[in-house]
Amino acid sequence: MTGRVEAALAERGLTLPQVVPPLAAYQPAVRSGAYVYTAGQLPMVDGKLPVTGKVGAEVTAEEAKDLARICALNALAAVKSVAGDLDRIARVVKVVGFVASAADFTGQPGVLNGASELLGEILGDRGVHARSAVGVAVLPLDAPVEVELQVELLPDED
């Protein structure tokens, strides 16, 4: 059965992807108490990056914003892999986003709005979060964007 969060995704024409396999020695997500921490999620679609390069050079800010949405979907898939159900999300506590930026690109917050807006659309008040948007020289596989989530879960039912 599909929960409320996945139904909200479906209403927007989105589906939760499979968890992206790790590229190195880490887990896509880990749970510690009531919190789930995801690894940085790249905008992988069917095992591939749809575009590579620096934002402000080979990749436009609007393209990167769309890629940040994909990163957020991949992060939600990682959360579900350890929480069991996205309806268990009490709130998204923090989003950390990295933008591979051309030297003169300063629009990192606008790029990361792609992830933040998606979380707000599908989770409502539970998706409101603190956030960091960081410009970096390069990301794994020459990805333009990477996003990680810190999520608090509702208490386990007995």
Side-chain angles (χ1 to χ4, degrees), residues 19-70:
V19 177
V20 175
L23 299 174
Y26 61 88
Q27 294 296 311
V30 296
R31 182 173 175 183
S32 180
Y35 295 90
V36 175
Y37 301 86
T38 72
Q41 299 293 310
L42 302 179
M44 302 291 270
V45 177
D46 297 325
K48 297 179 184 177
L49 290 172
V51 64
T52 59
K54 305 288 183 288
V55 181
E58 301 87 3
V59 180
T60 68
E62 198 57 39
E63 288 172 317
K65 183 177 179 182
D66 290 340
L67 294 171
R69 288 176 66 88
I70 295 169

Side-chain angles (χ1 to χ4, degrees), residues 73-158:
L73 282 172
N74 288 339
L76 287 172
V79 169
K80 183 179 178 182
S81 75
V82 297
D85 185 347
L86 293 177
D87 289 348
R88 297 206 50 234
I89 295 174
R91 76 168 306 143
V92 176
V93 178
K94 180 136 188 210
V95 173
V96 179
F98 304 94
V99 180
S101 303
D104 61 347
F105 183 74
T106 60
Q108 292 83 5
V111 168
L112 269 295
N113 280 348
S116 294
E117 291 168 1
L118 176 73
L119 294 168
E121 288 171 22
I122 63 170
L123 294 166
D125 289 344
R126 296 178 297 148
V128 177
H129 53 268
R131 186 181 80 186
S132 298
V134 182
V136 298
V138 68
L139 289 168
L141 305 178
D142 200 25
V145 184
E146 181 175 343
V147 172
E148 64 183 56
L149 301 182
Q150 298 170 10
V151 174
E152 180 182 10
L153 301 177
L154 296 168
D156 289 324
E157 294 181 7
D158 293 329

